[in-house]
């Protein structure tokens, strides 16, 4: 019997290893799997490469992971905002590496990994420092830059409901990067608000099929 439900957040993240590449869903705080991040902090993995849209807000979630100096590198599109002080301090001190990627390119690089695409050409970033060292082409009267897929060892995402097969539905825009990150990681761990019985989710509204999810854990578990 397929049962991907984990009884605790701690057990769900126990094998995230030092040096792992970890995708973390969320657009700011919307859709961020804060409970899984807290479990990862307690677990102790370090030297991580984090893939996220931004670089943490305030003192919780990703910002707390950064504060603990567990992150070696971050790949994101929006590293600086008024309350990203932990990232700012680390970056200015030379204690974290940043790979800045425009938001559309970030999403497509993640999606490409899940779709098995080896690379794609995007016009975004051409003629800027973001294109330095990358292959460029002139296609149909426009300049393009070669972008490569982003793969991950683990993805930590947040969904509204999940069943024991790993099928997921999300709450409105809290979906954001969750579905494509689930496809791009070797192991996807979904933090859900509620675990529902198999068959309770309408197949027409399932956004992430269980084939892309290895673990489901309830927020309050």
């Amino acid at each position: 019997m397929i049962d991907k439900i984990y009884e605790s957040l701690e057990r769900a993240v126990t094998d995230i290893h030092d040096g792992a590449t970890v995708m973390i869903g969320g657009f700011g705080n919307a859709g961020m799997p804060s409970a899984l991040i807290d479990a990862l902090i307690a677990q102790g993995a370090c030297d991580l490469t984090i893939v996220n849209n931004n670089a943490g807000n305030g003192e919780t979630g990703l910002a707390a992971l950064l504060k603990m100096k567990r992150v070696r590198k971050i790949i994101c599109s929006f590293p600086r905002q008024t309350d990203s002080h932990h990232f700012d301090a680390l970056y200015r001190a030379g204690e974290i590496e940043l790979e800045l990627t425009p938001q559309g390119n970030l999403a497509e690089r993640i999606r490409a990994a899940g779709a098995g695409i080896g690379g794609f050409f995007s016009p975004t970033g051409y003629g800027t420092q973001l294109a330095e060292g990358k292959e460029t082409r002139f296609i149909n009267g426009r300049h393009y830059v070669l972008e490569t897929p982003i793969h991950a060892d683990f993805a930590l995402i947040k969904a509204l409901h999940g069943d024991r097969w790993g099928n997921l539905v999300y709450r409105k825009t809290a979906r954001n990067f969750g579905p494509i990150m689930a496809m791009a990681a070797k192991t996807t761990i979904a933090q859900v608000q509620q675990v529902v019985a198999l068959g309770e989710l309408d197949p027409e509204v399932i956004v992430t099929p269980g084939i892309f999810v290895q673990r489901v854990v309830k927020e309050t578990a």
Side-chain angles (χ1 to χ4, degrees):
M1 183 179 70
I2 298 174
D3 189 352
K4 300 177 182 180
I5 306 300
Y6 276 59
E7 71 276 7
S8 70
L9 293 156
E10 293 74 21
R11 183 168 175 266
V13 302
T14 189
D15 60 345
I16 297 180
H17 53 85
D18 293 352
T21 296
V22 182
M23 292 180 173
I24 298 179
F27 191 92
N29 290 323
M32 179 176 288
S34 297
L36 280 173
I37 297 172
D38 289 344
L40 178 58
I41 292 172
Q43 187 254 35
C46 61
D47 197 34
L48 301 171
T49 295
I50 298 297
V51 183
N52 185 257
N53 183 62
N54 67 324
N57 306 80
E59 299 292 334
T60 61
L62 178 55
L65 185 66
L66 292 169
K67 182 180 180 179
M68 297 296 291
K69 298 187 177 182
R70 301 283 181 76
V71 180
R72 177 186 64 83
K73 177 181 179 179
I74 188 163
I75 303 172
C76 70
S77 70
F78 191 64
R80 295 198 64 199
Q81 53 199 57
T82 56
D83 59 352
S84 60
H85 42 270
H86 290 303
F87 169 78
D88 285 354
L90 291 168
Y91 187 72
R92 292 177 187 278
E95 296 180 345
I96 191 170
E97 181 182 348
L98 169 66
E99 182 178 332
L100 185 63
T101 303
Q103 191 173 86
N105 285 359
L106 177 67
E108 186 64 4
R109 290 178 68 191
I110 296 169
R111 192 198 69 82
I117 296 171
F120 62 93
F121 284 93
S122 169
T124 306
Y126 179 81
T128 73
Q129 292 182 357
L130 298 179
E132 290 182 0
K134 297 180 180 179
E135 179 183 344
T136 61
R137 288 190 184 182
F138 189 69
I139 305 172
N140 293 329
R142 195 172 187 185
H143 293 281
Y144 289 81
V145 180
L146 178 63
E147 297 289 348
T148 55
I150 302 174
H151 298 268
D153 300 300
F154 297 89
L156 308 183
I157 63 175
K158 181 178 180 179
L160 181 64
H161 296 150
D163 62 25
R164 66 175 175 85
W165 282 2
N167 297 310
L168 304 176
V169 296
Y170 302 83
R171 185 180 184 276
K172 301 180 180 180
T173 57
R175 169 190 313 191
N176 51 71
F177 290 88
I180 56 173
M181 287 183 171
M183 296 174 64
K186 295 176 182 176
T187 300
T188 295
I189 309 170
Q191 167 191 325
V192 300
Q193 184 174 319
Q194 183 180 5
V195 175
V196 301
L198 194 64
E200 188 172 332
L201 297 177
D202 181 351
E204 296 297 326
V205 301
I206 291 172
V207 177
T208 298
I211 193 172
F212 297 118
V213 179
Q214 284 68 50
R215 302 171 192 173
V216 176
V217 60
K218 190 175 179 181
E219 292 179 357
T220 56

